[in-house]
Amino acid sequence: MIITVEKESTEPLYQQLRRQVVEAIASGVLVAGDHLPSVRALAAQLGVNMHTVHKAYALLADEGFLTMRGSRGAFVADRPKDADHGDLTALHDALEKAAVEWRARGGEGPRFLETAQAVAQEVFSPRTREVGVLAVEKDAVEKDGEAALGGSAAPAMGEGRA
Amino acid sequence: MNWICWFLVGLVALTTVLQLITPRLMAPGECFSVTIPAAQAHDPAIKAITGRYSLVTVGVGVLGAVLVGWTGATIPLVGAPTAGQVALVLLGALLPVAGSFGAMVWARKAVEALKIKRHWVDAPIEGVAVLDEDLPRPLSMAWDLLYIPVLLWVGVLCAWTYPALPAQVPMQMDLAGQVSRAVAKSPLVGAFPLVFALFMAAVFIVSHWWVLRSRLAVEPDAPHGSALASALFNRAYSQVLVAGGLVLVAVLGTVIPLSLAGVVSLAQAGVWALIVALVFAVASVGIAVVYGQSGSRLVRRWQGGQGAGDGTRAVATTLDGHWHLGVFYVDKDDGALVVPKRFGVGWTLNYGRPGAWVATGLLVLAVVGLVAFSLAMG
């Protein structure tokens, strides 16, 4: 798995980090029990302040995506079997916010539904998410270094996937 | 010329060769500590700048070697060299390093100007982490526990040879092999080999720790391959550091007490020390040549000699402006204490973090402490 943060982006660094971890969990790249690097190690590797990584981890832990086990570091949390009321409320709020902003900009309802459906299909497609990033790239590196080294052959998380 | 002269000239030559090949050991997207589009590494202007750097490096290298060789030849076989002769030898030895550094600083400015002239732009600075449990890891710090039996052996040898030390312990010899400096026997003199071995072991252990703490040199345009190459480089370097350090400390910790006790001559001890140091230096240079800085040559080979990315974007994980004089890295917002060098093989400290200043202070204290200990012996 690759995490990339753009240091001059308008999106805060901790949000970039949080978003990519959430995407990795959603796509199955990270599964329950996976160990994430320590705050110090990830901050050093990304070249960002330790507070940035700590803030992202704390946020992810608060949201239930990670569990913090003291000195052992951060681990991907188990997925709840059924989304509880709190999750559905958050989902409802996020969709409502997106829909309201879309309409405020003059967008039409059918187009919103069409886009939302396309996004959902992309996110929930098991083939796309499980094969796209790690399995292919990792095998390519192990079997043939050249395959994984050709320019932008290895897309960062959050970028387009096959 | 005597063998000391040849050794010093050889040392200057080795330093010059290392400085000469350094630009060729760096990633194609890093030119004299300035990021450029990797595809432009063969730009004629870049080649011309590298050529001038090479010319100056060879020039000062030859000058240094001549100075060292000529001065060394004038040192009398019997008796200590004069202060002037020592100063000239030091000047000759330092000239290639200082001259080459000056040439690098000039080349850096020239590449910066070229970057503007060619309209090469910096891609957004990205931090990249490859979270892969299967990446090769450097040797763990547990290997450094092997220094314990080695240091115990040195301690036992010091205690065992102490009764055999002469009243005047030989510490230095002239070019004819005659003792030119001796100090009165004392517990401090007897403990000197152990203190020296402790100092050497500490230097190697800290260097090993640096490798473990350093970040991988991951290129945003080729993250998997560059992470793998960088991890392989780190592992190889840690192996040489651990093996070389243990052998060097063991050999020096054995021959120094034996030479103080007169079991072997100072010359024999010196030859052993030089042989081990030479093997260690050759192994280090070998890694630099085979892997390149942080595995950059491996990446280039895997890419078939072509740099990744397009021809106008300079991709980097750190800003050019954070590299002062091309070698001192200062970024207080960077969580890394140890980072790969932009020019040279190995790592440097991020002086934007307090830990870097503490580490530098401790190193200076350790060197001062060793010198003070030597002086205290008389």
Side-chain angles (χ1 to χ4, degrees):
Chain A
M1 172 190 171
I2 296 172
I3 291 180
T4 306
V5 291
E6 195 177 308
K7 296 184 184 175
E8 288 145 10
S9 167
T10 51
E11 184 183 9
L13 291 169
Y14 78 95
Q15 287 286 14
Q16 294 183 45
L17 189 51
R18 178 206 163 273
R19 174 174 51 77
Q20 291 178 69
V21 171
V22 171
E23 284 178 0
I25 294 171
S27 64
V29 170
L30 284 177
V31 296
D34 277 355
H35 184 213
L36 292 181
S38 68
V39 169
R40 182 194 292 273
L42 189 55
Q45 185 55 45
L46 291 173
V48 299
N49 201 296
M50 279 191 284
H51 296 301
T52 302
V53 179
H54 187 265
K55 194 171 178 181
Y57 276 12
L59 191 59
L60 287 160
D62 285 347
E63 292 171 336
F65 293 114
L66 297 184
T67 53
M68 308 300 286
R69 296 182 195 166
S71 60
R72 294 184 63 203
F75 292 81
V76 177
D78 288 317
R79 288 187 187 190
K81 286 182 180 173
D82 299 304
D84 62 18
H85 183 65
D87 287 334
L88 285 174
T89 304
L91 175 64
H92 179 275
D93 290 349
L95 283 172
E96 185 181 34
K97 182 171 177 281
V100 167
E101 287 180 4
W102 175 255
R103 190 175 180 188
R105 290 189 172 89
E108 298 294 332
R111 187 71 191 277
F112 179 85
L113 283 174
E114 186 186 313
T115 308
Q117 193 172 16
V119 169
Q121 271 177 353
E122 187 192 333
V123 169
F124 291 108
S125 163
R127 183 178 169 276
T128 303
R129 292 290 162 171
E130 287 174 8
V131 176
V133 181
L134 261 197
V136 172
E137 296 294 338
K138 192 175 162 187
D139 289 348
V141 168
E142 285 174 353
K143 290 174 184 170
D144 182 2
E146 287 180 26
L149 284 159
S152 56
M157 285 188 56
E159 292 178 4
R161 296 179 173 89
Chain B
M1 286 209 301
N2 53 61
W3 67 274
I4 290 279
C5 289
W6 282 114
F7 170 72
L8 289 174
V9 170
L11 201 64
V12 171
L14 185 67
T15 308
T16 303
V17 169
L18 272 177
Q19 304 285 353
L20 195 62
I21 63 172
T22 296
R24 290 154 186 86
L25 302 178
M26 309 309 295
E30 287 176 0
C31 185
F32 295 106
S33 199
V34 179
T35 52
I36 61 168
Q40 303 293 347
H42 298 294
D43 185 292
I46 293 284
K47 284 190 170 179
I49 292 168
T50 308
R52 284 179 198 166
Y53 165 85
S54 303
L55 207 62
V56 173
T57 300
V58 170
V60 290
V62 169
L63 201 62
V66 168
L67 198 58
V68 165
W70 175 76
T71 311
T74 62
I75 296 174
L77 285 178
V78 179
T82 64
Q85 286 168 328
V86 171
L88 279 176
V89 168
L90 279 176
L91 181 68
L94 291 176
L95 199 59
V97 179
S100 172
F101 178 73
M104 186 275 285
V105 172
W106 167 83
R108 176 179 158 80
K109 284 192 183 302
V111 174
E112 280 175 336
L114 184 71
K115 194 172 170 178
I116 294 167
K117 188 180 170 189
R118 295 275 198 270
H119 304 294
W120 294 336
V121 292
D122 285 322
I125 302 294
E126 290 180 331
V128 188
V130 176
L131 277 51
D132 188 347
E133 299 286 337
D134 295 333
L135 280 178
R137 294 277 306 151
L139 295 185
S140 76
M141 293 298 287
W143 283 88
D144 294 314
L145 292 174
L146 289 172
Y147 280 106
I148 293 174
V150 171
L151 291 170
L152 280 174
W153 157 252
V154 177
V156 167
L157 201 60
C158 286
W160 182 61
T161 54
Y162 186 71
L165 291 187
Q168 288 294 310
V169 183
M171 298 297 287
Q172 192 178 313
M173 65 172 189
D174 58 28
L175 295 174
Q178 300 300 311
V179 175
S180 58
R181 179 178 167 238
V183 295
K185 177 181 176 179
S186 72
L188 275 184
V189 175
F192 173 73
L194 180 60
V195 172
F196 186 70
L198 276 168
F199 174 79
M200 293 286 293
V203 168
F204 278 104
I205 290 170
V206 170
S207 302
H208 183 196
W209 181 76
W210 273 34
V211 178
L212 282 162
R213 278 294 296 271
S214 72
R215 72 159 156 250
L216 295 176
V218 183
E219 296 173 21
D221 278 354
H224 281 299
S226 55
L228 179 61
S230 184
L232 286 169
F233 171 81
N234 286 7
R235 186 176 65 178
Y237 217 96
S238 71
Q239 288 166 342
V240 167
L241 270 179
V242 171
L246 283 167
V247 173
L248 203 60
V249 172
V251 169
L252 291 179
T254 301
V255 297
I256 293 177
L258 290 180
S259 68
L260 294 184
V263 179
V264 298
S265 70
L266 279 176
Q268 286 170 322
V271 168
W272 272 104
L274 285 181
I275 289 173
V276 178
L278 192 67
V279 171
F280 180 69
V282 167
S284 302
V285 173
I287 287 179
V289 171
V290 172
Y291 290 83
Q293 163 63 341
S294 290
S296 62
R297 283 171 71 88
L298 277 186
V299 178
R300 229 180 302 180
R301 276 202 292 278
W302 291 340
Q303 288 173 335
Q306 299 298 315
D310 65 38
T312 55
R313 282 167 65 252
V315 179
T317 54
T318 54
L319 276 172
D320 287 352
H322 286 150
W323 289 90
H324 300 275
L325 293 173
V327 289
F328 298 105
Y329 180 62
V330 185
D331 183 3
K332 63 181 175 55
D333 290 326
D334 188 338
L337 178 65
V338 185
V339 296
K341 284 181 186 174
R342 271 265 187 110
F343 188 79
V345 177
W347 298 267
T348 186
L349 294 173
N350 174 11
Y351 283 96
R353 294 184 57 79
W357 293 99
V358 172
T360 307
L362 286 176
L363 179 68
V364 171
L365 271 181
V367 172
V368 169
L370 188 67
V371 172
F373 187 88
S374 304
L375 294 174
M377 290 191 307

